[in-house]
């Protein structure tokens, strides 16, 4: 069992949507850990870049072309 | 190489190639222009009969094949689609309408600016305004919906089209058109055009360079990353234009340009807004299509159709200015863009609390 975390499923969405959704989540749940699911390398890079810029630590798990990006302060 | 260096290098190389291709034979300030190239290809295929703009530009085949090959090698090729394909076709059509009113895609706008064409500065104003309007819709939840994985063969269609176009320009069958005068008659040697295209395609695929994305991200997330690419492209093109003696500052007598400020502004406003709704500038659409995104592939076909319409019905601008029917077309395009944008906004909470995750989720926070 894993803990509860705010999750955003941005798979299949083109840039900049995953970034916009991540940004909204950061504003809605300030300081909380977030899980973002994307399935394109471009989205993975952009979401990671945004998170690092906002001072989050970024962990990425690659699951068969789906990237699970966990970000936390 | 880190991301920042890669995007700066890509921009610089493309800026330089954009001027070098003029030296090698392309028309002035016309080293690279996605909109004009697609328009020339439409002419070469006989989809319009404007005799001065008919040539199947090998650079475009190069963009597609360069991005396709490098995406395959990098493991980033994945056939996908289903994100509002027909709307994207229309958006591609509309972006070309705007570009052919201004006379250039965002990339050519930067190349024109770097060669001293101040009309492009007006275009840049319109482009930025269009992007800003697009961001308003993005913030209101604009989305064309997600895409889904597809069978690989879907992703090979655009590269196959690129190869066919290349064969047509090399073999020169009798049903293909070649301009005998005007910009369409000015071109670099086929092999060099193709080579430059391959390099551009590969670089944009790796660096994610996007003329619309650069300005968009500055506003949207205060991230200058992509904009560095645009900046590097401009500076490299500026230095190259000066070095080759192509630089001439002013509004008047600029190559393949008109001085009608209002329509330059509105044309590029349509391109900016359309590009944001699509998720990238025309070049970026071609690159995404080459990575297996069939929606972007369809956007390319929309651009080809739009270019054919613009010249078939005499709507496109020329150095003489913008015809009245072209003005009507671009205003209608703007209205359609707003309708598409408004009707695809859903104000929703994107975030949901979830207790079950796919496997592999980190368990400790």
């Amino acid at each position: 069992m894993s803990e509860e975390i705010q999750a955003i499923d941005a798979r299949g969405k083109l840039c900049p949507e995953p970034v916009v959704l991540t940004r909204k989540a950061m504003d809605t749940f300030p300081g909380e850990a977030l899980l973002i699911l994307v399935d394109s390398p471009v989205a993975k890079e952009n979401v990671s870049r945004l998170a690092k810029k906002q001072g989050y630590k970024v962990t990425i798990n690659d699951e068969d072309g789906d990237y699970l990006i966990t970000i936390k302060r | 190489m880190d991301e920042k260096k890669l995007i700066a290098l890509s921009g610089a190389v493309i800026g330089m190639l954009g001027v070098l291709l003029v030296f090698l034979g392309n028309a002035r300030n016309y080293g690279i222009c996605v909109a004009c190239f697609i328009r020339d290809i439409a002419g070469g295929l006989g989809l319009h009969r404007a005799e001065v703009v008919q040539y199947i530009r090998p650079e475009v085949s190069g963009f597609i094949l360069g991005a396709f090959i490098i995406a395959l090698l990098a493991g980033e090729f994945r056939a996908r689609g289903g994100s509002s394909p027909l709307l994207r076709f229309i958006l591609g059509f509309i972006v070309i309408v705007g570009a052919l009113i201004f006379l250039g895609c965002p990339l050519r706008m930067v190349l024109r600016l770097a060669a001293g064409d101040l009309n492009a500065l007006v275009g840049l104003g319109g482009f930025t305004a269009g992007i800003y309007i697009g961001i308003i819709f993005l913030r209101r939840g604009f989305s064309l919906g997600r895409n889904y994985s597809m069978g690989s063969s879907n992703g090979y269609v655009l590269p196959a089209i690129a190869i066919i176009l290349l064969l047509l320009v090399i073999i020169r069958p009798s049903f293909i058109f070649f301009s005998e005068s005007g910009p369409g008659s000015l071109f670099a040697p086929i092999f060099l055009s193709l080579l430059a295209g391959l390099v551009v395609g590969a670089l944009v695929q790796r660096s994610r360079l996007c003329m619309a994305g650069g300005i968009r991200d500055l506003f949207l997330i205060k991230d200058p990353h992509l904009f560095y690419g645009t900046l590097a492209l401009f500076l490299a093109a500026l230095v190259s234009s000066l070095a080759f003696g192509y630089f001439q500052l002013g509004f008047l007598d600029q190559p393949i340009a008109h001085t009608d400020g209002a329509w330059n502004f509105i044309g590029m406003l349509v391109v900016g807004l359309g590009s944001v709704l699509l998720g990238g500038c025309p070049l970026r659409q071609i690159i995404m299509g080459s990575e297996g995104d069939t929606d972007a592939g369809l956007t390319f076909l929309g651009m080809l159709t739009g270019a054919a319409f613009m010249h078939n019905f005499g709507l496109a601008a020329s150095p003489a200015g913008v015809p009245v029917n072209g003005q009507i077309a671009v205003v209608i395009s703007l209205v359609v863009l707003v309708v598409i944008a408004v009707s695809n906004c859903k104000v929703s909470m994107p975030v949901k609390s979830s207790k079950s995750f796919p496997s592999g989720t980190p368990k400790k926070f």
Side-chain angles (χ1 to χ4, degrees), chain B:
Chain B
M1 185 182 295
D2 73 16
E3 284 181 352
K4 199 184 268 188
K5 280 191 185 133
L6 179 63
I7 192 122
L9 177 80
S10 301
V13 171
I14 294 167
M16 196 188 66
L17 284 174
V19 180
L20 187 65
L21 280 165
V22 175
F23 178 74
L24 293 170
N26 282 12
R28 281 279 298 276
N29 294 8
Y30 190 15
I32 300 172
C33 173
V34 176
C36 314
F37 283 0
I38 289 175
R39 181 266 325 276
D40 288 355
I41 290 172
L45 295 171
L47 300 175
H48 69 68
R49 300 300 161 100
E51 289 178 356
V52 290
V53 281
Q54 296 176 319
Y55 178 59
I56 299 179
R57 299 262 166 201
E59 289 93 339
V60 174
S61 291
F63 299 156
I64 295 169
L65 295 172
F68 171 66
I69 292 163
I70 205 96
L72 273 180
L73 293 174
E76 292 188 357
F77 176 84
R78 192 170 59 87
R80 55 199 186 269
S83 165
S84 306
L86 199 52
L87 279 180
R88 288 181 184 276
F89 179 91
I90 298 294
L91 287 170
F93 187 110
I94 284 174
V95 161
I96 290 298
V97 171
L100 293 179
I101 292 297
F102 165 71
L103 291 176
C105 73
L107 207 161
R108 181 172 188 246
M109 176 183 74
V110 176
L111 292 175
R112 278 173 59 177
L113 202 55
D117 179 349
L118 294 176
N119 300 297
L121 201 56
V122 180
L124 179 63
F127 187 57
T128 307
I131 289 170
Y132 193 80
I133 295 167
I135 287 170
I136 294 169
F137 289 114
L138 284 178
R139 287 195 172 129
R140 293 174 63 98
F142 173 83
S143 173
L144 290 174
R146 66 158 302 176
N147 62 34
Y148 300 88
S149 289
M150 291 179 159
S152 288
S153 61
N154 292 279
Y156 298 136
V157 174
L158 195 62
I161 289 173
I163 290 168
I164 292 165
L165 289 173
L166 200 56
L167 289 174
L168 288 174
V169 77
I170 292 169
I171 298 168
R172 301 174 73 109
S174 60
F175 54 85
I176 293 301
F177 294 81
F178 288 89
S179 292
E180 288 176 7
S181 63
S185 66
L186 298 167
F187 49 84
I190 289 178
F191 174 71
L192 293 175
S193 290
L194 175 66
L195 194 63
L198 287 167
V199 171
V200 171
L203 283 173
V204 176
Q205 199 285 328
R206 292 318 303 148
S207 67
R208 332 297 191 198
L209 183 82
C210 175
M211 298 293 112
I215 297 172
R216 178 197 68 205
D217 290 355
L218 273 182
F219 288 136
L220 186 67
I221 47 174
K222 312 279 183 287
D223 181 5
H225 175 75
L226 284 176
F227 190 70
Y228 290 142
T230 307
L231 209 56
L233 198 152
F234 171 75
L235 292 172
L238 177 66
V239 171
S240 307
S241 295
L242 288 164
F244 281 104
Y246 297 142
F247 187 88
Q248 75 183 61
L249 190 66
F251 285 96
L252 299 176
D253 300 323
Q254 293 289 349
I256 320 177
H258 63 80
T259 54
D260 197 329
W263 295 107
N264 278 329
F265 187 92
I266 293 166
M268 281 317 279
L269 186 143
V270 163
V271 176
L273 176 53
S275 295
V276 170
L277 300 185
L278 279 167
C281 69
L283 178 61
R284 190 82 199 121
Q285 295 304 311
I286 290 181
I287 302 306
M288 293 193 313
S290 314
E291 295 167 346
D293 183 337
T294 59
D295 297 322
L298 197 60
T299 304
F300 171 76
L301 295 179
M303 293 196 281
L304 188 70
T305 311
F309 267 69
M310 286 300 278
H311 279 277
N312 203 44
F313 299 111
L315 310 176
S318 70
V322 184
V324 173
N325 287 339
Q327 296 171 8
I328 294 168
V330 79
V331 169
I332 291 172
S333 295
L334 185 55
V335 172
V336 173
L337 279 184
V338 172
V339 170
I340 290 173
V342 169
S343 55
N344 287 281
C345 282
K346 43 184 182 300
V347 180
S348 63
M349 274 303 295
V351 181
K352 51 189 178 294
S353 196
S354 170
K355 285 184 180 171
S356 58
F357 306 112
S359 57
T361 308
K363 291 194 165 101
K364 289 194 173 166
F365 305 102

